[in-house]
Every structure is written in C-alpha cells, then in structure tokens.
Amino acid sequence: MEWAWLIPVFSFASALLIVVFGRSLPSKGAFLSILAIALGFAGFWVVLISWMGADTTTSGCFTSENTHLLTCDYERTWFNAGAVGDVGSVSINWGILIDPLTIAVLGLVTFVALMVQIYSLAYMKGDTRFGWYFAIHSLFAAAMLTLVLADNFLLLYVAWELVGICSYLLIGFWHERSSAREAAKKAFIVTRIGDVGLLVGILLIWREVGTFSMLDAFEAVRTGAMSEGVTTVAALLLFLGAMGKSAQMPFHVWLPDAMEGPTPVSALIHAATMVIAGVYLVARAFPLFEAYDADALMVVSVVGLVTAFVAATIALVATDLKRILAYSTISHLGLMMLSLGAFGVTAAVFHMMAHGFSKALLFLGAGSVLHSTEFQETGEMGGLRKVMPITAILFSIGALSLGGIPILAGFWSKDEILIAVNEHHNVAFIVLTLFTAMLSALYMGRAMFLVFFGPLKEQNEHAHESPLPMTLPMLLLGILALGFGLISFNWPGNYGGFGTFIYFLHPHEFHFEIWLGAVSIVLAVASFIAAYLFYVKRSISLDTVRSNFAGILNVVENKYYFDEVYQWTIDRVVLVLSRLIAFFDRAIVNDIIVNGPADVTRKFGIALRLHVTGHVYSYILAMAIGSVGLALFVWWRVA
C-alpha cells in the first residue's frame, strides 16, 4: 500500500511524455496513456488485496477513531515554512490515505478511465489533436487519483484545481466552435465560485488545528478541540466547493453545457472524475459534517433533494440526448448528497459506483449513436435497435439500471438511499425522494424508447454498429451495470456485504425494506410502461399533456430560467457595478489620488518657471520692482 502513490504517477508521466514526444510516437502516444491507466487499475487491485490482508500491526495502519475503519496513512515532509522548531514555523506534509472509501473510488476511476480511453481510440480516430486529447485524459485521471489518495486538505486542493483545469481543456477541446469555448469558460468560472469556499474552509481548519492533515482535523472535532461553530462553518464551506464540482443547485448550470466536449470526455466527467469529486469530499470529510448537532448535514440533504428533483424534471423535457444524460447525472448526484445528509455514507458511495458504471455506459452508448448517425437530437432518432442492436441492448441496460429496475445495480443502490432517507428524515423527504426516483425511471425510459424503439427513420438507415474498440468497453460496463449490485448481499465466507466494507462508525449487513422496495419497484416499472405508451405506442397523447400543463412545461423547458437570471444579473448588476468601480478607479483613485499630487506639482512648477526668461533686463526690472515694493512696505510700517 505504501506504493499506491504510483497509481497517479503513471498517468502524470504518460501525460508529460505525450506532450514532449507525442508527435514522434506511434498513434501519437495514445498507447502510453492507456498503458498508464491500465497500470493504475492493476495498482488498485494490489492496494485492495494488500488492505484486505492488513491489520493494526501493519506498518502505518490503525483503526480510525473517527470512522472505526482500518486506515493506513503514509506521509512525508513536503516543505517547511520557517526554521524548524522556531515559533510560527510550519511543516507541510504530503501523503496518501488508504481506507475502504479510497479503495472504492480508486477502482471506479481507474476502470472507467481505462474503458473510456480504449473507446476513444476509435471515437477520436483522425482528430488533428489526437495525441493532445490523450495527454489531457492522462492528466485528468492522474489529478483525480491524486485527489482521492490525498491525506491532507492542501494536497487535495492542488489536485482539485488541476481537475478543474483538465475539465476546462477537455470541454473546450474543439475550441474552434464558439459554443465549446463558452462552455469551457462557464464550467471553469462557475466551479471557481465554489472553490473559493473550499479554500476558505481549508484555511479555517488550518487556523484551528495548525495542520492540513485530514486525520488531525477529524481528531480535533472528535475531542472537542475544534468548536461547534467553527466545525459547522468549515463543513459548509467545504460543501460549497463540493456543490460547484458536483453541479448542485445553483451551481448546476455548467454541467449540461459541458456536453460540447467529445462524448468520451462526458462519460469520464459524469462517471468517474470531476462531478464525483464533490460527493467524495463530503464522504471523506464526513466527521466534520456529522459532528455536534449535524446541522451541516441538513443543508446537504435539502440541497441534494432540491437538485435531484429539479434536474429530473428538466431531463424529462430535454430533447438533446447528451443533455438528457447530463441532467440525469445532476439528479443522481443530488440523490448521493441527499443520502450523505441522511447519514447514508454506505448508500451514497454504493450509488456513486453503480451510477458511475451505468452512466459511463449510457454516455458511451450515446457516443456510439452520434458516431454512427451524426445526430444528437432525439427527434431525429428512432428505431436504431434495428441497425445498432448491441448498442441498443447495452444502452437499455444502463437506462434500466438508473431507472431502478430489479435486479440491476442501480436498483440496489437506490434502495439503500431510500432506506437511509426513510430512517433519518421526515415523511416529506421520503415522498419527494420516491417521486424523484419515479421521474428518473420516466426520463430514462423516454430516452431509451425515443432513440432505439419505434420505426427506423429514413435518415438513419445508413447507421451501423460501432467498431470493437467502442463496443468492448460498453460490454464490460454493461456487465457491471447489470451485476454490480450483487456486492451488496451477504455472501458465504468473510464478506458481509458492501455495508461491512464501507461505513461510518457502525457496519451494517444488507437490509431490504420490503414495503419501500415494493413501492420503488412499482413506481419504476409503471414509469417505464408509461414511457412506452407515450413514446412508442403513442396511446397517450403528448399534446393533451402539453395543453394541460403548458405553463409548468414552459418553465421547465427553459430550465427554470437559471441561465437567464444569471445573464440578467451579469448584464444589469455585475457589469453596471463594474463600470461604476472602473469609473471610480479611473476618475477618483487614478486621476485624483494617484496622479493628482503629481499634476499639482507639475502645474506649480510650470507656473513657477515663467519668471526664468534668461534676459538680464527682465531680472533688473524684477529687482527694481521688488526694491520699490520693499521700500513702500517699510515706509508704510514706519508711518
């Protein structure tokens, strides 16, 4: 486990080699990127096996007082500020933290990134910046893996910002298009707002604890060394950063526009890198959130539930296939946050993984459709199962999984979320969560039926199945979307289910709430049937629904006017204030305060030098006038 730091180093090294030598390497260095992440995936298995064989006698390992999990911490001195031992000197360490949460996310990131990069070989073939694409992919994966392994907030923040830079480069990869440039800037700016909160929260923790170490901060909270007020404020500031990265309202607006990047990039961002960073941060810093009266967790729950519901309604009316999946991601990230706010750490991480495999499959399936038909609007698709049967089957598996159909992975993870919400929140929360889950099944059914079922449209008759490098990763992801939920069960032997691997304070074996599971199954199945009747059989008129709910649909179709409100705020408030501040800076600060004394001195000097003519008669005249004036003054005083 001490060598786990090599997992991101492989990808860092490949990114550097591709940038420097990519033009002279075969396939512009793409094989280096794939080899690096493959080595990282192998490293994940080494770490997992090593951790399973470790105990408290293993070097660097102990049972955490904050989580009650076996935790291994390996750190080294990064740098010292001031002479060691002097008052005010600071020693900054960097290190890696290995526990079940780290291991689970390492597995998710390395596997999905590997599948996406193999898929990209065919999808990005012929692109003029093929090598650059794989270089940034490697850097993206390396940054996320560093974030996951970090044992202190400072290293996490460095990796956090590097993830943001990579997303900016990949979203704007086709920067020749103005829409891609604008989307990249939007993602970068919106997430930076949350990042300011994260940085302030980290600095607040450092001020209170005197170190950036996560374990020390958690211990300070446990022992009461960090006060309740400071802990709550620090947790909320960290959550502000998580809201930006995980696209929680009102910072969700950047993620749908991020679809301007290549589709494999969307799969990576939505399933295993940038957007799960916020969920991971809240899960990692959970001892801060649940401390004292856990006020911060109620904020997390409310934001998560509102985000999940609002995004689900938008996904239900969106027409762009990738944007439907984007709003689906926002909604499911909200469910993960809701679960964390309901003390459901196990459920949130379980759903993060099940969603990651399913959503990567869905985006790669969407990429397969776009690659074959060159269409992105669902209205231009239909009946593609007749010409793309493999993609249709695999996409349907992902859709059914996220829709909560048994026995797919998404059903079991969603059920765990429902149990957590039902146990720790009031009835309003569980009712809205069930309704959101029903909407999730409805928009997933809508996307699946609109694209792959019904009559094949004439413009799509040329469509064909994708090549093997694109189909194979989809197949492997499909297997996990289908069967990953089985790890939640208690199997014979030492394995007691996912809840005995990842938990907070107390392990819990698999538990199925019959009435809750039955309700969720009925809602999910009914939603898919309704989607079939709406979009395939056309036995229910959409025009009737539109006429009855025209006002509500108008608001939802315009995405609740978030973008318009933000644009109005920028145009009418930010830019107006900016102009006033610019005027004050130019007219007052610059012209009067800074340049004013200099201008007065210059003008006074110009006036003062007028008597210096260089003519003797002028000086004699001045002396005569002065003498007469002086004589008159003396005479006046004497008289």
Side-chain angles (χ1 to χ4, degrees):
M1 287 183 290
E2 294 183 48
W3 294 93
W5 59 271
L6 284 173
I7 295 175
V9 166
F10 291 136
S11 291
F12 274 125
S14 71
L16 179 62
L17 290 173
I18 294 172
V19 169
V20 177
F21 303 108
R23 292 184 179 181
S24 59
L25 292 172
S27 67
K28 296 185 179 179
F31 74 94
L32 279 178
S33 180
I34 295 174
L35 176 62
I37 198 64
L39 289 173
F41 184 55
F44 149 73
W45 286 105
V46 172
V47 171
L48 173 60
I49 294 170
S50 298
W51 183 87
M52 292 176 65
D55 54 31
T56 54
T57 63
T58 304
S59 174
C61 297
F62 53 91
T63 299
S64 171
E65 294 288 344
N66 300 288
T67 62
H68 293 183
L69 289 166
L70 180 67
T71 302
C72 304
D73 186 27
Y74 306 98
E75 64 178 9
R76 299 287 186 274
T77 299
W78 190 356
F79 63 88
N80 294 306
V84 178
D86 288 353
V87 177
S89 65
V90 178
S91 179
I92 306 297
N93 298 327
W94 69 272
I96 57 175
L97 186 67
I98 308 293
D99 67 357
L101 176 61
T102 302
I103 294 170
V105 183
L106 281 180
L108 174 64
V109 175
T110 52
F111 179 75
V112 172
L114 178 59
M115 294 300 101
V116 170
Q117 291 195 25
I118 294 173
Y119 180 96
S120 298
L121 285 173
Y123 191 90
M124 298 299 293
K125 184 178 180 180
D127 194 280
T128 55
R129 292 188 293 274
F130 187 76
W132 174 249
Y133 172 86
F134 276 91
I136 302 303
H137 245 288
S138 276
L139 189 61
F140 202 7
M144 186 64 194
L145 291 168
T146 302
L147 188 156
V148 172
L149 285 166
D151 76 333
N152 67 85
F153 287 111
L154 183 59
L155 181 58
L156 179 142
Y157 185 76
V158 172
W160 185 277
E161 293 300 329
L162 190 55
V163 165
I165 292 171
C166 293
S167 69
Y168 170 81
L169 294 173
L170 287 172
I171 293 169
F173 182 76
W174 287 318
H175 53 75
E176 300 85 359
R177 303 195 309 233
S178 60
S179 57
R181 295 195 299 270
E182 293 301 318
K185 288 191 291 184
K186 188 175 184 178
F188 192 79
I189 292 170
V190 172
T191 55
R192 290 291 76 69
I193 297 171
D195 292 354
V196 171
L198 174 61
L199 179 59
V200 174
I202 291 173
L203 294 176
L204 178 60
I205 293 171
W206 176 76
R207 191 198 70 173
E208 291 294 309
V209 183
T211 175
F212 292 105
S213 169
M214 295 180 187
L215 296 179
D216 289 346
F218 302 157
E219 184 64 19
V221 173
R222 190 182 68 84
T223 59
M226 190 185 298
S227 67
E228 178 180 353
V230 172
T231 302
T232 301
V233 171
L236 291 175
L237 287 169
L238 295 184
F239 182 58
L240 195 61
M243 288 171 64
K245 275 290 191 288
S246 290
Q248 299 296 284
M249 288 183 62
F251 301 132
H252 67 288
V253 294
W254 70 268
L255 191 53
D257 289 357
M259 299 304 96
E260 292 294 335
T263 303
V265 169
S266 301
L268 189 62
I269 289 176
H270 286 249
T273 51
M274 183 152 170
V275 297
I276 70 166
V279 177
Y280 171 80
L281 175 61
V282 177
R284 170 59 68 204
F286 200 74
L288 297 177
F289 286 86
E290 66 85 37
Y292 301 104
D293 293 329
D295 294 334
L297 286 184
M298 180 54 70
V299 176
V300 174
S301 286
V302 172
V303 171
L305 181 57
V306 172
T307 301
F309 174 75
V310 170
T313 58
I314 300 175
L316 197 57
V317 300
T319 57
D320 183 295
L321 179 57
K322 290 176 66 176
R323 287 180 182 269
I324 293 173
L325 299 180
Y327 281 109
S328 168
T329 298
I330 296 171
S331 182
H332 282 272
L333 290 168
L335 289 176
M336 296 174 210
M337 290 297 189
L338 170 62
S339 178
L340 288 167
F343 296 87
V345 175
T346 300
V349 178
F350 188 23
H351 193 61
M352 178 171 65
M353 299 185 72
H355 170 269
F357 299 133
S358 301
K359 187 53 61 70
L361 173 60
L362 287 169
F363 266 109
L364 296 187
S368 179
V369 171
L370 270 61
H371 185 264
S372 181
T373 67
E374 298 182 355
F375 293 132
Q376 198 160 308
E377 287 288 327
T378 54
E380 298 172 321
M381 303 174 191
L384 290 177
R385 62 185 172 84
K386 299 175 183 178
V387 289
M388 304 180 68
I390 298 176
T391 298
I393 292 171
L394 294 173
F395 187 96
S396 298
I397 290 174
L400 293 169
S401 174
L402 287 188
I405 296 296
I407 58 171
L408 284 76
F411 167 74
W412 302 110
S413 59
K414 183 191 70 175
D415 183 72
E416 290 294 317
I417 291 176
L418 292 174
I419 291 174
V421 173
N422 186 56
E423 289 180 350
H424 292 93
H425 286 314
N426 60 42
V427 66
F429 275 86
I430 189 61
V431 169
L432 284 173
T433 304
L434 283 168
F435 186 65
T436 302
M438 182 192 72
L439 293 178
S440 178
L442 193 57
Y443 66 66
M444 278 290 101
R446 174 175 176 262
M448 181 178 74
F449 290 127
L450 282 176
V451 175
F452 294 102
F453 291 81
L456 178 64
K457 295 188 177 181
E458 184 178 349
Q459 66 264 31
N460 293 321
E461 291 179 352
H462 70 283
H464 53 82
E465 197 57 80
S466 298
L468 184 62
M470 294 174 65
T471 306
L472 181 60
M474 291 167 57
L475 179 61
L476 295 175
L477 287 165
I479 293 172
L480 287 172
L482 186 64
F484 181 75
L486 299 178
I487 71 166
S488 62
F489 297 150
N490 307 329
W491 293 99
N494 295 328
Y495 182 71
F498 193 74
T500 62
F501 177 64
I502 291 180
Y503 56 85
F504 183 76
L505 295 180
H506 305 291
H508 54 88
E509 296 183 347
F510 174 76
H511 172 64
F512 186 75
E513 195 74 44
I514 296 178
W515 75 268
L516 201 53
V519 171
S520 70
I521 292 172
V522 170
L523 291 176
V525 173
S527 296
F528 274 95
I529 292 174
Y532 178 77
L533 296 176
F534 269 116
Y535 303 107
V536 179
K537 299 296 290 183
R538 306 286 180 177
S539 57
I540 302 177
S541 174
L542 287 173
D543 294 332
T544 302
V545 176
R546 285 187 171 276
S547 62
N548 292 334
F549 300 97
I552 297 174
L553 283 174
N554 186 53
V555 173
V556 177
E557 287 174 346
N558 284 282
K559 298 167 287 188
Y560 294 87
Y561 297 100
F562 272 97
D563 287 305
E564 287 77 5
V565 170
Y566 289 157
Q567 193 62 55
W568 183 90
T569 303
I570 291 170
D571 293 339
R572 304 295 184 181
V573 179
V574 176
L575 293 181
V576 171
L577 288 176
S578 298
R579 293 189 189 102
L580 289 174
I581 293 171
F583 174 78
F584 179 82
D585 177 66
R586 183 178 63 256
I588 306 299
V589 176
N590 189 64
D591 293 349
I592 296 178
I593 298 176
V594 176
N595 292 338
D599 287 340
V600 170
T601 303
R602 180 175 59 83
K603 291 175 181 178
F604 184 75
I606 291 172
L608 194 62
R609 74 184 184 186
L610 292 177
H611 74 284
V612 184
T613 64
H615 298 141
V616 175
Y617 58 80
S618 297
Y619 302 152
I620 293 173
L621 177 61
M623 292 172 63
I625 293 173
S627 298
V628 172
L630 181 62
L632 290 174
F633 176 76
V634 172
W635 175 79
W636 175 74
R637 292 292 295 173
V638 172

